Amino acid sequence: MYELVTAAQMKQYDADTIHAIGIPAMVLMERAAAATAEEIRKRFPARSERTGAGKRQVLVVAGCGNNGGDGFAAGRILQEYGYPVSYVLIGDREKCSQETKVQISILERLGVTIGNGLTGQEERREDARAATGSYEIVIDALFGLGLSREVTGRFQEAIAFINKTGAYVVSADIPSGIHADTGKVMGMAVRADLTVTYGYRKLGLFLYPGAEYAGTVLCKKIGISRREGLEAPEAYAYEPSDLRRLPVRRKDGNKGSFGKVLVIAGSAGMYGACQFAALGAYRAGAGLVRVITAKENRELLLSAVPEALIDTYGVTFPQEALESALSWADCVVIGPGLGTDMQACRLMEYVWKHCRLPLIVDADGLNILSEHDNWIDRAAEPGREVWLTPHMGELSRLTKKSIKCCKEEMLSTVREYAAAHQLVVVGKDARTVVGGPTGELYINTSGNDGMATGGSGDVLAGLLAGLVAQGMRGMDAACMAVYVHGLAGDGAAARQSAYCMMAGDLLRELPRVFTKGGNVR
């Protein structure tokens, strides 16, 4: 698991390291530069020619802040290893930070000439070099974490220049032009191939569109740490080692040991939704799955999921079947393909008011819930556990905010709704965000655009239920479900391309993901 921070949090940790712990800012800058140079050297080893021809040509484009100092120092270190490096300062030298002025002074004492912006004759010279592909590597060190307004003028021109070089672009800490907290493009931004970030990962590197501009992100430790008493990181994310958190499978277990999932889903003709949810639960390790669905779906569902127990309903409300199933189950999923007609509303109302089992509400269940604002207060009743799994349209209906607002303010929207109603919200988007009842936030970094296909969300709902049935709870269950779901998507995309993916491919990939978890003991 790793932590994601805002610009303000990172600056707080940085200042504490310098002033309270006593590590000088120049030491941190040298460590950051060394980490950046090391990653460049790994990817582009220096060539052995003694003449300039054929060597790795590097251009450092730096700003006046400490980010510029990181870039200047990284270029100097590369020079020590034989890389020919050119340097350009974008901005007024007198406005440079003290540390960046020192880095410039060091370079000048070494006989290096630093260009003063990409303007006039120098811009034409650099344009010509770029056009001939002279630069193999560009180090982007224009802006760090403090950018809060649109990029304009010579800075915009410098970013445009970097993007058209055709070189391998390495951004120091964050691509210039990306907002460190939101991932927003501030007018124009550098498109990096690699971003080497320092100390902690920044939110803007993982939220879109920033994630797209950042390329591969590596976080390097340079001596900055968060001590007790400082503000906690804004969010966290999982990595492959977190698969160890999966429920342990006891070798002497039986189908009752691994939990019973009730899936209430599928209006007439929508058997696919309950099929995917039921199979998702089974693939997650649930021992038994029972489905309540419209009678028209029975034969097709029996054929698709013969392992499931199936109850059906018609025009008559199936209260007896519901009572029996709720007394049997360990957790409940309601909503996939359920519809929003009168019968669906009655099913949702009954379950919402009478179910005290762990409850996952998805799809049409959320749409019905959004039409009954007074129901949501029941989510916070003692002993009740609820997970909501909305995509952006459903989140908009629940929160009464526009879809645009939900997307732009995803973190605060999910966090506030989850805390206000004391439940877990899984806000599904290109970056799924999970919010918990005490304000915690998880940002999922697995998955890809191939998962934007019908039935994918139904698989996730079932997968979450399968984990809950085996004893996982709260944020742990939701975070693991979306992470595993995304890993299955990544595996499927690697095998057959994101273009071709369907929900069934996620189900076929899940066994490979769980195998990596090593959770059988």
Side-chain angles (χ1 to χ4, degrees):
M1 183 169 70
Y2 53 84
E3 297 166 317
L4 303 171
V5 302
T6 64
Q9 289 163 349
M10 191 66 231
K11 289 176 182 178
Q12 184 188 50
Y13 306 161
D14 187 60
D16 181 74
T17 299
I18 294 167
H19 301 299
I21 296 177
I23 301 177
M26 283 299 293
V27 171
L28 297 178
M29 182 174 283
E30 287 293 320
R31 289 178 177 176
T36 303
E38 178 188 17
E39 292 303 326
I40 291 172
R41 291 180 57 225
K42 284 180 182 177
R43 290 158 177 76
F44 298 90
R47 290 171 176 158
S48 60
E49 289 89 348
R50 293 184 179 276
T51 64
K55 287 193 174 182
R56 305 290 196 185
Q57 295 285 337
V58 181
L59 173 66
V60 176
V61 182
C64 295
N66 277 2
N67 190 249
D70 295 337
F72 284 131
R76 169 171 48 79
I77 292 168
L78 289 172
Q79 276 188 243
E80 294 175 11
Y81 286 96
Y83 295 74
V85 183
S86 300
Y87 302 84
V88 174
L89 173 66
I90 309 298
D92 302 324
R93 183 165 174 170
E94 59 272 19
K95 294 182 179 179
C96 287
S97 70
Q98 186 58 42
E99 289 78 14
T100 298
K101 286 179 180 178
V102 170
Q103 293 293 354
I104 292 172
S105 178
I106 292 170
L107 285 168
E108 289 179 336
R109 288 192 183 100
L110 291 171
V112 171
T113 299
I114 296 173
N116 184 22
L118 293 166
T119 57
Q121 183 177 354
E122 183 163 6
E123 182 178 26
R124 288 193 294 274
R125 186 179 77 242
E126 298 299 346
D127 276 344
R129 291 170 67 88
T132 59
S134 296
Y135 294 121
E136 196 166 359
I137 305 149
V138 174
I139 297 177
D140 156 41
L142 268 174
F143 297 116
L145 306 183
L147 184 64
S148 59
R149 60 185 177 182
E150 296 282 295
V151 176
T152 59
R154 54 186 167 177
F155 301 103
Q156 187 180 67
E157 292 167 2
I159 290 173
F161 173 82
I162 292 171
N163 287 341
K164 71 182 179 183
T165 60
Y168 187 89
V169 177
V170 179
S171 286
D173 213 16
I174 191 167
S176 295
I178 294 297
H179 194 287
D181 294 352
T182 67
K184 181 182 177 182
V185 175
M186 306 299 285
M188 180 178 285
V190 168
R191 287 189 175 273
D193 296 287
L194 171 69
T195 297
V196 182
T197 196
Y198 314 125
Y200 291 83
R201 295 164 175 86
K202 287 73 185 179
L203 282 169
L205 296 174
F206 294 89
L207 299 174
Y208 284 98
E212 185 177 355
Y213 281 74
T216 300
V217 176
L218 296 178
C219 184
K220 308 297 285 188
K221 295 298 182 184
I222 62 171
I224 299 172
S225 60
R226 179 178 70 89
R227 294 192 304 153
E228 188 175 348
L230 298 181
E231 186 177 343
E234 187 76 357
Y236 62 95
Y238 278 176
E239 52 194 337
S241 61
D242 287 296
L243 290 174
R244 69 182 185 277
R245 300 169 182 269
L246 283 164
V248 173
R249 300 282 295 184
R250 290 181 51 184
K251 290 184 178 180
D252 62 347
N254 56 61
K255 59 188 177 184
S257 306
F258 301 126
K260 295 172 283 189
V261 174
L262 171 61
V263 176
I264 304 171
S267 59
M270 293 291 288
Y271 79 94
C274 38
Q275 171 189 334
F276 288 131
L279 288 171
Y282 267 131
R283 285 299 192 195
L288 289 167
V289 178
R290 185 170 179 175
V291 178
I292 295 180
T293 187
K295 64 181 182 180
E296 291 85 351
N297 299 330
R298 181 178 179 82
E299 295 306 316
L300 289 169
L301 195 56
L302 279 171
S303 176
V305 195
E307 301 89 345
L309 307 171
I310 299 175
D311 294 312
T312 63
Y313 61 87
V315 294
T316 304
F317 184 72
Q319 182 165 334
E320 186 176 335
L322 280 170
E323 290 176 351
S324 171
L326 289 174
S327 66
W328 169 88
D330 294 311
C331 75
V332 180
V333 178
I334 185 168
L338 190 65
T340 56
D341 60 14
M342 185 178 296
Q343 188 74 298
C345 290
R346 289 186 67 193
L347 287 166
M348 180 62 195
E349 181 177 19
Y350 184 90
V351 170
W352 186 258
K353 291 182 177 179
H354 294 90
C355 177
R356 289 298 173 267
L357 300 168
L359 176 62
I360 297 149
V361 184
D362 184 46
D364 285 327
L366 296 168
N367 293 327
I368 295 169
L369 186 61
S370 69
E371 293 296 320
H372 298 83
D373 294 339
N374 58 315
W375 289 7
I376 195 65
D377 293 335
R378 288 179 175 267
E381 291 176 351
R384 188 175 174 95
E385 282 191 280
V386 177
W387 293 260
L388 307 183
T389 58
H391 57 53
M392 289 300 96
E394 292 156 352
L395 186 62
S396 171
R397 288 187 281 277
L398 285 169
T399 61
K400 316 306 179 191
K401 295 182 178 182
S402 68
I403 293 177
K404 182 175 183 292
C405 181
C406 287
K407 289 179 75 71
E408 291 179 352
E409 301 174 7
M410 176 78 131
L411 301 188
S412 59
T413 299
V414 168
R415 169 185 274 152
E416 290 166 8
Y417 195 85
H421 303 295
Q422 290 296 286
L423 42 70
V424 177
V425 176
V426 179
K428 299 182 294 191
D429 201 32
R431 279 285 185 255
T432 292
V433 175
V434 183
T438 59
E440 61 270 53
L441 279 178
Y442 167 88
I443 298 175
N444 192 55
T445 57
S446 64
N448 58 79
D449 56 282
M451 300 171 71
T453 185
S456 179
D458 304 324
V459 173
L460 175 61
L463 177 55
L464 174 54
L467 296 177
V468 171
Q470 294 172 84
M472 293 195 83
R473 289 292 183 268
M475 287 287 289
D476 289 342
C479 298
M480 184 56 70
V482 296
Y483 183 61
V484 167
H485 187 246
L487 289 179
D490 289 337
R495 291 177 187 281
Q496 62 196 51
S497 153
Y499 282 97
C500 307
M501 282 171 57
M502 299 172 67
D505 298 320
L506 303 178
L507 292 166
R508 284 185 284 275
E509 199 66 32
L510 282 173
R512 297 184 181 94
V513 176
F514 282 110
T515 297
K516 295 175 184 176
N519 60 320
V520 178
R521 296 182 189 174

